[in-house]
Structure formats: C-alpha cells, structure tokens
Amino acid sequence: MIIAIDAMGGDFAPTSNVEGAIQAAREMPDVRIVLVGDEARLAPMLSQAPKNIEIRHASEMIAADEEPVKAVRRKRDSSMVVGVTMVKNKEADVIISAGNTGAFMTAALLITGRIKGIDRPALSPIVPTVDSAGVMILDAGANMDAHPKHLLQYAIMGNIYAEKVMGVERPRIGLLNVGTEEKKGNDLTKETYGLLKESSLNFIGNVEARDIMEHVCDVVVCDGFSGNILLKTMEGTAKTMMSVMRGEFTRTITSQLAAMMLRPGLRRMKAQMDYSEYGGALLMGVQGICIKAHGSSNPRAIHIAVRQAKKFIEQDINGLIAREIQEESGDGNV
Amino acid sequence: MIIAIDAMGGDFAPTSNVEGAIQAAREMPDVRIVLVGDEARLAPMLSQAPKNIEIRHASEMIAADEEPVKAVRRKRDSSMVVGVTMVKNKEADVIISAGNTGAFMTAALLITGRIKGIDRPALSPIVPTVDSAGVMILDAGANMDAHPKHLLQYAIMGNIYAEKVMGVERPRIGLLNVGTEEKKGNDLTKETYGLLKESSLNFIGNVEARDIMEHVCDVVVCDGFSGNILLKTMEGTAKTMMSVMRGEFTRTITSQLAAMMLRPGLRRMKAQMDYSEYGGALLMGVQGICIKAHGSSNPRAIHIAVRQAKKFIEQDINGLIAREIQEESGDGNV
C-alpha cells in the first residue's frame, strides 16, 4: 500500500507534512509513504525517518492563492500534480494534500477523471458532533451551482461512506435547508426533496444547520456554496469562541488558576471540536482516492489523514461507489 | 411613541414577552407599550405593571409550525396580524414579534407593503463579533432565490442601517462567498460582485463565513438561503460548544470549582455570543417597522428589542431607506 503526500501544500508545509508523515510511517510500518516535493528541502528533514518513507522529487509547487485551472495546467511538475498523477498511474493508492483546495479538485478531476455515473464530484469532510461520531457533509465546495440530480448522487455516495467506512447501519440522509418542513427552501432544495424521497435511501427530510452538530443525521447533502458556508461558519464560530474563552481565562490570576485546573477538560473539548481529528475531506466521485487535509494541518492532522487513507484503500471506497452507482442506475431503484 | 409587541409569539410566550415588556416600560416611561394578544391570559400578568403598558385584545394566535401565507390569510384576529395591522394603520410605530418568522414576514409584506424601489425585503439580524460591535447580515431568510439586483438593494439598505443606526462611517460592505478572490463563488455572487463594484458603496469584496465574527466588514450581503445557513450554523456551533463546555465543567469536583472561579468570565462570554444582546432582526424593505425577535427570546431579549425599536423610530429608519433608494436610483449612482 503506497500513500503519497503533497509535501509542499498547506500553511505549515513542508515541516508539518513531513513530521506527520514520519509519525504515520512509524505507526504503520506496513504502509509505504511517499513525500512528493522538493528533494533538496525534504531530504535533510528525513535523517531520522523510518525506512518506509521516501521522497519523490517535484520541482514546483502550487501556492494557496493561485488560480486552480491555470496552476494545474501550467505547473506539471508541482508536488500536487505529480502526486495526483502517481495515483492515476497506480504508482500510489492515494494522494493527500493540504494545499490549494480548488487546484487539488481540478487536478483530481482532470488527471484521474470521474467515476462513471457521477456527474460532479463532491468535497466531503466530516464535521464534529457532540457525541464525537461526526457527520459527513457533501458537497462542501467542489460544485458551486448544483442541480437536484447532483445532490441525489451526493446522497448515494455519502450513504456508502457512512455505511462502509463509518459503520452506520441505514445511514440517515438529511437535506440541508432553512426549516424542517417539506416545502421549505429554495428551488434546488424543493426539487431535491422529491428525488430523495423517491429514492431507496433512508432520507429523513430537511435538516437545519443549527442541528447538525447534534447528530440529527449521518450524511448532509447540499450544494457546494451552502456547504462551504456551513463548514466555514462552524470553523469561524469555534475559533472565535476559543479566542474569547482564552481572553477570559487569562484576564485575572483567579481565572488563570481556574484555567489550569480545567486544562484536561479544555484539551478534550478542543480535540472534540477539531476537524482534523475526524480526518481530511475525501473528494468523492473522482477515480483516484484524493484526500484534502485542512490548509492549516499540523503534524497530527496529516498523521490522521494517513490513517484514514489506509482505511479507504482497504475498503476500496471508490470501487464501492462505482458499483453502487451502477446498481442504483441499473435497477432504477433511485 | 407606541411600540406593539406580539404577546403570543415565541417559545416562551406570553410570559417572557410580558416580563420583557414590563422591564422595558419601566426603563422607558415616555414609550407606550401595547401587548397584543389574549386579554384573559394577559391581564392577570399585568397587575404590577407600570401605566405605560396596555393590552390590545386578539383572539387568535399563529403557531410556530403553521404555513405562513395560509396562517396570515386565515387568522385575521391573531396577535401577529393585529399587531402588524396596527402599524399599517399608524396605531403603533413598530411591531415586535418572536413568533413564526415566515408568517411575520408574510404579514409585514402583505399588510404594510414594500418600500418603493425595494423588490424584496430582507431579514436583517446583527450577529456577534469578537469586538462586540456586531455585523449586519442581509438577507438571513426572507427571500430564498435571490437575484443580483436584490443583493444590491440589500447592500444599500444595510449601508444605511450601519451608518445611521450603528454609527459606522463609510460602512464596509462584504459579499458572502466561498473565497475572497473576485472570481469565486456561484453565478449569483459572480454577477453581484460586478454590481457592487460599480456602486458608490464602500464594497470591500468577498468575505468568507469564517471571518465574519472577526468583524472584517460591517454589512454582509447574501441570498436568504445562505444567510440562513450562516446564522443557524453560528447559533448551533455556539450552543454545542457551550454544552460541551458545561459537560467538562461539571465532570469533576476540581472542574466544578474552577468553573465557579470563572463564573464572571463565562457570563461575559455568554453575553458576547448571545444574539439577543444585539437586538432582534429588522425586516428591512417593508413599509412598517417590523422587528423579528428570536423564537426563544427571554424577557431580556424582548426588553432589548424594545430599546432597539425606540431607536429605529427616533431615527426614522424606513424614511431613510426610502429616500436613499430613490436618490440612488434617481442619480444612477448605484
């Protein structure tokens, strides 16, 4: 099993990526990890690394603010493009990148192609829930102007993921909406509601954004614009609250002492609200297994993404999706 | 100055509404407050009330889950419809309701009508920011399938509000989007970007959901679907974090003690993240001044909404909007 990591992508690259890769390589000696990037920079960082980690040189890198399609087309020897191409050529089973999300999606789509039967891939992160089970959101930003049939395909893919990877029996599929009543929402959700209702999925109806972290369903489907707003609002709110809390905890000697006493609990809380603990976002619907780690991934986030990658390969997640989509469209059940 | 309150709308009605009204009536003796609702239920609650508070009987009420248009059309003697009609007939200067949001918007639109030049009203709440200044979001759910010109009108209205009510000079207008770059987003945001750029407003470009609470702009414009997702995600995330925190704070004797020591800070934090501290959501663009208080409003939330209502009347917020919209369309500046 070969796991490629875009060593140059992400806010803390290559340091975090290399450190995370080393941690993962130590934990999973049966996995081969390939760090894709500038050999001159990476080699010195690997002096203490275990043997199951190696470098694949790539001379360029795609920056966070580059225009995706242009960047992917022009920078053929970037760490990201080389990594995705390795998956396409079966030199790696999966590629993990914490780099430019748009470029990564573009590269995955252009280089590895779509799974047959899927019109649009979906960026599918798992977001935190109070019970730590996590909820999958698709699409969180791959496809901006989605049609109802895309959302139905997201639901089918999310269902497979929740069942096979998360181990949920008859996953509850929810449609992100502004209210729970059937007739709520915009043209897209109203039409999608009908498609999901007629499908063989365990569709539980509309779900409101404020209830998602309460784990009211296992999979949330939505257009990429709304999903992105949802995801980034969660992130921003959690970050703001943490920073307000930090301010209060350092305000007086008493509060500093109290914060010290609470440290284990605060650490648990932080971990529970931390996306990276739930792994990266799978780009569902493309042929190669492509995992998008958060831009600000620390070594632990990369380490967890490698664990997740291993699981995806073992369970043949893309094979499952391809078969399910064909069955569903074949027997007209959905 | 007469402020009408829908006494029967909201999760804790009529108790919260009456208590909040009494608090506000005591604080603002120059204001007359009219509680609209079932006299038999309300009268006994007003035995200790000051003289500037009275009851206007309404025999019906609209429930939270009723279909808005049907409810407004049929329940002519509901507290909500009677309250909005009072504003229409100039028997009240403003109506505050914590009831069914859809029904309230419908009633406001059908009964008082739109401000000339505004195609679609917008639900416009103020959301919390780290610096406690607050940011106005329009639209947070009035208009589900918005067009670019609607978003431009929201920006004009939000600009007036921020300038005149919040006292911000040259308010920074942001367009809710999935990235800050000009070409990001869906068809709606791409087209709206151009309109805002050409306007005379202080348009600062796209803003991401995760940065809003950091107060990167004073007014955020978006379609009602996305705005609703944004608002409810903030609400849900804050609630979930508070509940996780509560769990940690009560876990051990040590953590309980620490939580006690932190109580003043936690109270400040809760207040800072509490929507109701920022007042209700103005329904901008309708002729009458209509303020939507949160469904779960406590007495304090109602009290604050009354303060806010007083300010709106004093500043003639709707007159300002009407004049500005006419000027903007008159001189073709926008």
Side-chain angles (χ1 to χ4, degrees):
Chain A
M1 184 185 298
I2 303 174
I3 296 176
I5 299 175
D6 170 7
M8 316 308 282
D11 304 343
F12 308 117
T15 321
S16 266
N17 309 23
V18 173
E19 280 175 28
I22 293 175
Q23 284 173 18
R26 286 210 178 103
E27 185 188 78
M28 296 163 261
D30 54 324
V31 164
R32 266 178 63 203
I33 295 181
V34 181
L35 285 165
V36 188
D38 183 1
E39 187 158 22
R41 283 183 73 186
L42 298 174
M45 303 170 79
L46 291 177
S47 55
Q48 306 290 322
K51 284 194 173 152
N52 56 334
I53 185 163
E54 61 197 80
I55 298 169
R56 168 73 167 256
H57 181 66
S59 63
E60 295 174 296
M61 54 184 279
I62 293 176
D65 56 356
E66 282 187 73
E67 203 285 303
V69 180
K70 226 181 267 176
V72 170
R73 289 237 161 94
R74 289 188 189 164
K75 294 190 168 172
R76 294 289 177 175
D77 201 38
S78 61
S79 54
M80 188 187 278
V81 171
V82 171
V84 175
T85 309
M86 285 174 70
V87 172
K88 160 78 181 169
N89 296 340
K90 307 218 184 301
E91 296 169 81
D93 297 293
V94 55
I95 168 76
I96 297 167
S97 178
N100 186 319
T101 309
F104 191 48
M105 294 187 299
T106 305
L109 195 56
L110 291 182
I111 299 168
T112 82
R114 282 180 285 117
I115 291 177
K116 205 182 147 198
I118 299 292
D119 292 310
R120 299 287 172 94
L123 187 65
S124 320
I126 308 281
V127 302
T129 54
V130 273
D131 58 4
S132 300
V135 169
M136 171 166 265
I137 311 289
L138 21 37
D139 168 28
N143 178 19
M144 285 300 131
D145 290 287
H147 297 283
K149 68 169 181 182
H150 300 148
L151 269 69
L152 174 62
Q153 291 170 3
Y154 301 164
I156 295 170
M157 293 193 288
N159 184 58
I160 296 167
Y161 186 96
E163 202 175 294
K164 307 296 182 184
V165 181
M166 297 167 90
V168 182
E169 212 177 313
R170 285 287 286 157
R172 293 162 303 164
I173 313 290
L175 175 63
L176 182 66
N177 211 328
V178 302
T180 52
E181 303 83 351
E182 177 164 353
K183 282 169 187 164
K184 285 270 175 172
N186 55 17
D187 295 342
L188 174 65
T189 60
K190 283 177 200 161
E191 204 176 316
T192 304
Y193 193 102
L195 289 182
L196 288 170
K197 208 173 155 186
E198 285 161 26
S199 77
S200 59
L201 298 163
N202 181 18
F203 176 52
I204 61 151
N206 293 323
V207 295
E208 287 199 77
R210 69 171 145 230
D211 299 325
I212 290 174
M213 294 181 99
E214 302 293 325
H215 199 187
V216 291
C217 61
D218 304 297
V219 175
V220 173
V221 295
C222 54
D223 68 279
F225 190 88
S226 308
N228 197 273
I229 301 298
L230 172 76
L231 200 71
K232 287 183 181 158
T233 308
M234 278 185 179
E235 197 186 324
T237 308
K239 199 177 142 207
T240 301
M241 284 187 73
M242 286 290 188
S243 108
V244 170
M245 214 192 305
R246 213 172 297 122
E248 289 300 342
F249 285 180
T250 51
R251 192 189 273 259
T252 63
I253 302 279
T254 315
S255 64
Q256 284 171 23
L257 181 65
M260 265 175 60
M261 289 160 68
L262 280 169
R263 199 171 284 167
L266 292 173
R267 210 173 281 152
R268 264 192 306 270
M269 186 178 159
K270 216 181 148 213
Q272 196 180 340
M273 302 304 293
D274 185 0
Y275 286 68
S276 57
E277 292 289 327
Y278 295 82
L282 183 60
L283 192 50
M284 282 187 118
V286 293
Q287 288 266 3
I289 304 180
C290 300
I291 298 173
K292 175 65 184 67
H294 198 285
S296 59
S297 285
N298 57 18
R300 183 165 167 78
I302 299 293
H303 182 169
I304 292 172
V306 175
R307 274 191 206 151
Q308 190 188 14
K310 184 167 181 265
K311 209 168 169 182
F312 289 159
I313 302 165
E314 285 166 354
Q315 290 175 317
D316 184 23
I317 180 79
N318 279 359
L320 287 170
I321 293 173
R323 279 190 292 279
E324 192 78 12
I325 282 286
Q326 269 184 332
E327 270 175 39
E328 294 282 0
S329 35
D331 64 8
N333 222 356
V334 164
Chain B
M1 184 184 297
I2 303 173
I3 296 177
I5 298 175
D6 170 6
M8 317 307 283
D11 305 343
F12 308 118
T15 320
S16 267
N17 308 24
V18 173
E19 281 175 27
I22 294 175
Q23 284 174 17
R26 286 210 178 103
E27 185 189 78
M28 295 163 263
D30 53 325
V31 163
R32 266 179 63 204
I33 296 181
V34 181
L35 284 165
V36 187
D38 183 1
E39 188 159 19
R41 283 182 73 186
L42 298 174
M45 303 168 80
L46 291 177
S47 55
Q48 307 290 322
K51 284 196 174 153
N52 57 333
I53 183 164
E54 60 197 80
I55 298 169
R56 167 74 168 256
H57 181 66
S59 63
E60 296 174 295
M61 52 184 281
I62 293 176
D65 57 356
E66 281 187 73
E67 203 284 303
V69 181
K70 226 181 269 176
V72 171
R73 290 238 160 94
R74 290 190 187 161
K75 294 191 169 170
R76 294 289 176 174
D77 201 37
S78 61
S79 53
M80 187 187 278
V81 171
V82 171
V84 175
T85 309
M86 286 174 70
V87 173
K88 161 76 180 168
N89 296 341
K90 307 220 184 298
E91 296 169 80
D93 298 293
V94 56
I95 168 75
I96 298 167
S97 178
N100 185 319
T101 309
F104 191 49
M105 294 187 301
T106 305
L109 196 56
L110 292 181
I111 300 167
T112 82
R114 282 179 285 117
I115 290 176
K116 206 184 147 197
I118 299 292
D119 292 310
R120 300 286 171 94
L123 187 66
S124 320
I126 309 282
V127 302
T129 54
V130 273
D131 58 5
S132 300
V135 169
M136 173 168 263
I137 311 288
L138 16 39
D139 170 28
N143 177 18
M144 286 300 130
D145 290 286
H147 296 284
K149 68 168 181 181
H150 300 148
L151 270 68
L152 175 61
Q153 291 170 2
Y154 300 164
I156 296 170
M157 294 193 286
N159 185 58
I160 296 168
Y161 186 97
E163 204 175 292
K164 306 297 180 182
V165 181
M166 298 167 89
V168 182
E169 213 179 313
R170 287 284 290 155
R172 295 162 301 164
I173 313 289
L175 175 63
L176 182 66
N177 210 328
V178 301
T180 53
E181 303 85 350
E182 178 165 351
K183 281 170 190 164
K184 285 269 175 171
N186 54 19
D187 294 343
L188 173 66
T189 60
K190 283 177 199 162
E191 205 177 315
T192 304
Y193 194 101
L195 290 182
L196 288 169
K197 209 173 156 186
E198 284 161 26
S199 78
S200 60
L201 299 163
N202 181 17
F203 176 52
I204 61 152
N206 294 323
V207 294
E208 288 199 76
R210 69 170 144 227
D211 299 324
I212 290 173
M213 294 181 101
E214 301 292 325
H215 199 187
V216 292
C217 63
D218 304 298
V219 175
V220 173
V221 296
C222 54
D223 68 278
F225 190 88
S226 308
N228 197 274
I229 301 298
L230 172 74
L231 200 71
K232 288 185 181 158
T233 308
M234 279 185 178
E235 197 187 325
T237 309
K239 199 178 140 206
T240 299
M241 284 186 75
M242 286 290 187
S243 109
V244 169
M245 214 192 304
R246 212 171 299 123
E248 289 300 341
F249 285 180
T250 52
R251 193 189 272 257
T252 64
I253 301 279
T254 316
S255 64
Q256 284 171 21
L257 181 64
M260 267 174 62
M261 290 160 67
L262 281 168
R263 201 172 284 168
L266 293 174
R267 210 173 281 152
R268 264 192 305 271
M269 186 177 159
K270 216 180 149 213
Q272 196 178 341
M273 303 304 293
D274 186 359
Y275 286 66
S276 56
E277 292 289 326
Y278 295 81
L282 182 60
L283 193 50
M284 282 187 117
V286 292
Q287 289 266 5
I289 305 181
C290 300
I291 299 174
K292 174 66 183 69
H294 198 286
S296 58
S297 286
N298 56 18
R300 184 167 167 75
I302 299 292
H303 182 170
I304 292 172
V306 175
R307 274 192 206 150
Q308 189 188 16
K310 185 169 181 266
K311 210 169 169 182
F312 290 160
I313 303 165
E314 283 165 356
Q315 292 176 317
D316 184 23
I317 180 79
N318 279 359
L320 287 170
I321 293 173
R323 281 191 292 278
E324 192 79 12
I325 281 287
Q326 268 184 333
E327 270 176 38
E328 294 282 1
S329 35
D331 65 8
N333 223 357
V334 164

